[in-house]
Amino acid sequence: MTTSIEVKHLFKSFNTARGSMLVLDDISLSIAAGEFLTIVGASGCGKSTFLRILAGLETADNGKVIVGGQPVNGPGVDRAMVFQDYSLFPWLTVKQNVIFSRRLAANSHDNLALERGAEDARALKLISLVGLSKAQDAYPSQLSGGMRQRVAIARALMSKPSIILMDEPFGALDAQTREVMQDLVLSVVEREGTTIVFVTHDVEEALYLGSRVVLMSPYPGRIDTIYDVPLPRDRNVMMRVDPNFVALKRTVMERVRKTVGMSLDASALANTGAEA
């Protein structure tokens, strides 16, 4: 399988009132084309920062991100991002929100321009794919949280990106809606053949969605362990109670707790040394 994303020795720091803070420490990772990779870890491990660097919204201090053989130097039409807060335009309808990103891309890349009929057809296909055909003329204020996130997913797919980066997209949803959205995104990306990098705090969600799960440890963010998920790609709700799934979930959760404990111990030791 060809490589979609290659990350090589990535470092990222932020300036704070107490000086420079290392957020990502020597991250290297290969992500295959068409893979659904999930990233999990405690708060402070740099998951969202890493995703923003992949999107070209943040710049690394050192290291490289290569997508499709080309270095990432900023945002690109080959990558789309879905955030937790939906980021829909309240004055546009569902259909208009979905089309908007495509028009932005067409304005900056003439070869992406579509005739209006083809553009509308693509938007309607995606709206149908996420189950919102009856709401295509509704405004965001008329939609539930789950419906708004469906619009955000359709919008991300509109320009046919090869990669979608998802930052806690279901974090604000109730448990039942979250499970529905998980199955939806699996079915949609399967049809579109898109590479997904999905950040979450929820270990069960990471395992249910991902073909691999990257566990990051905090303070600073490092790759601790990468877990292969031994489940077929055609996921269903009964897999959540499969003994292998439950055992792997327990293993990952225990490791998350250990990484947090080790980070706290290291922080306490550093503070003690500084005071001495």
Side-chain angles (χ1 to χ4, degrees):
M1 187 175 289
T2 57
T3 300
S4 180
I5 305 172
E6 190 76 34
V7 181
K8 298 182 178 181
H9 304 294
L10 207 66
F11 291 82
K12 177 65 177 178
S13 298
F14 288 114
N15 292 322
T16 71
R18 301 182 63 180
S20 180
M21 179 178 68
L22 183 61
V23 178
L24 296 175
D25 184 14
D26 199 10
I27 304 292
S28 293
L29 183 65
S30 293
I31 303 170
E35 182 174 7
F36 200 129
L37 184 88
T38 55
I39 302 176
V40 71
S43 295
C45 69
K47 302 186 298 296
S48 293
T49 299
F50 177 62
L51 210 64
R52 289 176 66 84
I53 292 173
L54 296 186
L57 301 175
E58 294 275 359
T59 303
D61 299 334
N62 288 291
K64 294 181 180 179
V65 176
I66 299 170
V67 172
Q70 300 297 318
V72 170
N73 297 311
V77 294
D78 54 349
R79 285 155 286 136
M81 196 155 180
V82 178
F83 300 93
Q84 181 176 330
D85 62 0
Y86 323 126
S87 301
L88 302 181
F89 296 105
W91 59 88
L92 298 181
T93 65
V94 166
K95 181 181 174 183
Q96 290 167 340
N97 263 288
V98 171
I99 288 174
F100 185 79
S101 65
R102 180 71 192 192
R103 290 191 176 156
L104 279 180
N107 287 339
S108 58
H109 295 78
D110 291 339
N111 62 327
L112 288 178
L114 284 176
E115 291 184 6
R116 183 60 59 89
E119 186 179 69
D120 284 357
R122 171 73 176 164
L124 291 174
K125 174 190 173 184
L126 292 171
I127 291 168
S128 174
L129 199 58
V130 298
L132 289 178
S133 292
K134 293 182 179 180
Q136 68 180 41
D137 296 319
Y139 290 89
S141 62
Q142 299 171 305
L143 307 177
S144 68
M147 293 170 77
R148 292 178 195 175
Q149 198 57 285
R150 289 170 186 245
V151 179
I153 292 169
R155 183 179 61 183
L157 289 163
M158 184 64 188
S159 295
K160 299 184 179 180
S162 58
I163 298 164
I164 295 182
L165 308 165
M166 308 184 82
D167 191 7
E168 292 277 356
F170 310 144
L173 305 179
D174 63 82
Q176 290 73 27
T177 304
R178 189 167 184 152
E179 288 189 5
V180 171
M181 292 300 297
Q182 289 166 1
D183 287 334
L184 172 71
V185 76
L186 283 172
S187 64
V188 168
V189 300
E190 181 71 21
R191 293 187 193 188
E192 292 286 311
T194 314
T195 303
I196 303 291
V197 184
F198 188 106
V199 161
T200 179
H201 281 92
D202 188 320
V203 170
E204 181 171 308
E205 179 171 74
L207 291 169
Y208 184 69
L209 293 174
S211 53
R212 288 189 300 159
V213 175
V214 175
L215 170 59
M216 292 183 65
S217 60
Y219 316 124
R222 299 185 178 102
I223 293 179
D224 180 85
T225 314
I226 300 177
Y227 298 92
D228 291 317
V229 181
L231 294 175
R233 285 308 308 153
D234 186 16
R235 306 286 163 93
N236 63 71
V237 67
M238 293 309 297
M239 291 179 178
R240 297 177 189 269
V241 295
D242 181 278
N244 292 327
F245 184 92
V246 174
L248 184 55
K249 177 182 173 182
R250 185 182 303 113
T251 297
V252 177
M253 291 182 70
E254 288 175 353
R255 186 61 195 169
V256 170
R257 294 189 189 99
K258 286 182 180 178
T259 61
V260 173
M262 288 188 294
S263 297
L264 292 175
D265 289 344
S267 177
L269 185 61
N271 290 334
T272 301
E275 292 167 1

